[in-house]
Amino acid sequence: MFILNLLRQRVFFRRGFTLVELLVVIGIIALLVGILLPTLNRARRAGQVVVCLSNIRQLSVAVQSYMTENKGSLPEAIYNNKTSLLSPKGTGQDAWRPFNHPRLGQTYTLPSIGEALRPYLGRSEKIWQCPTGDADNNAVDPYASAGANPMAGFASGDVWLPNYYYMVSKVYAGLASANPSVAATRVKPGFNAADWIVRNIAGLRAGKARSVSGQTSTQIVVFAEYKSTFHTQSSKDIYNLAAGERTKYLGNFAFLDGHAETRQYRDRDEYMAQLHDPIEQTWFGRDYGVTYPEQFNPANFYRAGGP
């Protein structure tokens, strides 16, 4: 109202603004921007969370469609076609081709999860991109897509890395069990790559999937955001929090029963309890509970001293 009255007065007397008046107006505008900007940023971030949740919900629907056509089994696929050693790019050949891995022995090239779900999602890659993924200041691997056939190709230029993580770590399982030096770095109590080994869900029959602590289809995660900093206001990775340290973390997840939701976690331990509870299974004849006994020890699930 002050600014409007000032403008009316200047127009009526047809003379310019004084320096003091200009500075007052600029100061008021700066104050309003300072008040509104945090609100606008929060609204923008909330909108990004909603878009991200919509994406992951569509991925969940695609997985349910896949299971309907494959006797209730989850896709036998790997997370990406960039770093996964069993991927087409990693092996240099089409999916499902047998090859002799130097550590795993006779095994198969697995399709990327994007390729496995393509019949249900089409060729658009937008659904695999979190709105805040590439903008994350701490992102090591933002969304990547390159080459003639990113999701399925095996040429050196074919690269596909989504922002949503399909819960599969079969590469780690093979490496850790076949090579003692790698096992020493991969299999450790606590929340590191070893936890992902025993959380693998690829290829499992959904009706039989159950975690050690009793998580069922409503709690077992199929898709999660690749980095836990995507929707953390502090941009601090929840995996790097010190014991007892807290940060508000929002994460979007798709679950085995088909639903998807945004969950908020208060600290690292609450997040770990959701995402790193081991799932009983065998793979290529390996009983995970026998091969990785320390990972199935309740004292090591989430933090030293117990869950």
Side-chain angles (χ1 to χ4, degrees):
M1 186 63 68
F2 170 78
I3 297 177
L4 291 176
N5 289 334
L6 189 62
L7 290 173
R8 292 193 189 99
Q9 292 175 15
R10 295 305 98 192
V11 170
F12 181 79
F13 290 108
R14 296 185 181 279
R15 66 182 180 85
F17 289 100
T18 67
L19 179 59
V20 173
E21 289 171 339
L22 285 173
L23 290 176
V24 169
V25 171
I26 292 173
I28 293 174
I29 292 174
L31 179 61
L32 292 174
V33 170
I35 294 173
L36 293 176
L37 193 57
T39 302
L40 293 174
N41 285 337
R42 284 194 296 270
R44 178 177 60 85
R45 293 183 71 91
Q48 290 171 335
V49 172
V50 171
V51 172
C52 185
L53 179 61
S54 175
N55 288 348
I56 214 166
R57 182 175 286 120
Q58 292 179 68
L59 297 180
S60 179
V61 171
V63 167
Q64 296 298 314
S65 299
Y66 179 98
M67 289 194 295
T68 298
E69 296 183 3
N70 289 274
K71 300 179 180 180
S73 293
L74 287 151
E76 183 75 277
I78 43 79
Y79 151 57
N80 66 65
N81 195 26
K82 180 182 179 183
T83 59
S84 297
L85 299 182
L86 300 185
S87 68
K89 178 178 172 59
T91 62
Q93 59 184 10
D94 289 320
W96 303 117
R97 297 287 181 88
F99 72 100
N100 287 309
H101 192 280
R103 295 193 183 118
L104 302 181
Q106 184 75 16
T107 187
Y108 286 86
T109 299
L110 299 179
S112 72
I113 185 61
E115 180 65 14
L117 296 182
R118 182 173 283 177
Y120 314 98
L121 296 172
R123 291 188 168 271
S124 174
E125 297 184 24
K126 195 69 177 176
I127 194 173
W128 295 99
Q129 302 174 56
C130 174
T132 56
D134 291 351
D136 175 25
N137 294 330
N138 297 324
V140 177
D141 291 306
Y143 183 84
S145 180
N149 198 354
M151 292 184 184
F154 56 86
S156 59
D158 292 326
V159 171
W160 182 68
L161 183 70
N163 285 153
Y164 301 107
Y165 182 77
Y166 181 54
M167 300 293 287
V168 53
S169 295
K170 290 183 173 179
V171 173
Y172 292 129
L175 289 176
S177 62
N179 188 312
S181 64
V182 175
T185 60
R186 294 291 190 192
V187 183
K188 299 177 182 178
F191 55 98
N192 53 30
D195 288 333
W196 298 107
I197 297 174
V198 297
R199 191 62 181 187
N200 172 73
I201 54 94
L204 294 183
R205 284 287 183 93
K208 297 182 178 179
R210 185 180 177 86
S211 76
V212 171
S213 72
Q215 286 184 353
T216 58
S217 61
T218 61
Q219 300 164 301
I220 293 176
V221 176
V222 175
F223 279 104
E225 292 165 338
Y226 174 61
K227 287 186 69 66
S228 63
T229 54
F230 282 175
H231 303 299
T232 306
Q233 290 184 355
S234 65
S235 294
K236 190 166 186 178
D237 194 332
I238 200 165
Y239 287 87
N240 293 331
L241 297 181
E245 185 179 0
R246 296 186 171 225
T247 184
K248 179 188 278 189
Y249 167 66
L250 293 176
N252 289 312
F253 303 92
F255 295 87
L256 191 55
D257 69 339
H259 86 282
E261 64 178 274
T262 302
R263 291 194 174 184
Q264 179 173 312
Y265 296 95
R266 296 170 300 172
D267 56 29
R268 183 185 69 195
D269 296 332
E270 189 177 355
Y271 175 84
M272 295 299 169
Q274 171 65 54
L275 211 61
H276 291 270
D277 191 3
I279 296 175
E280 298 174 345
Q281 60 186 282
T282 59
W283 183 61
F284 277 79
R286 297 187 184 94
D287 185 323
Y288 276 31
V290 174
T291 307
Y292 311 107
E294 68 281 16
Q295 295 304 312
F296 282 84
N297 181 349
N300 296 330
F301 284 177
Y302 324 121
R303 60 180 178 179

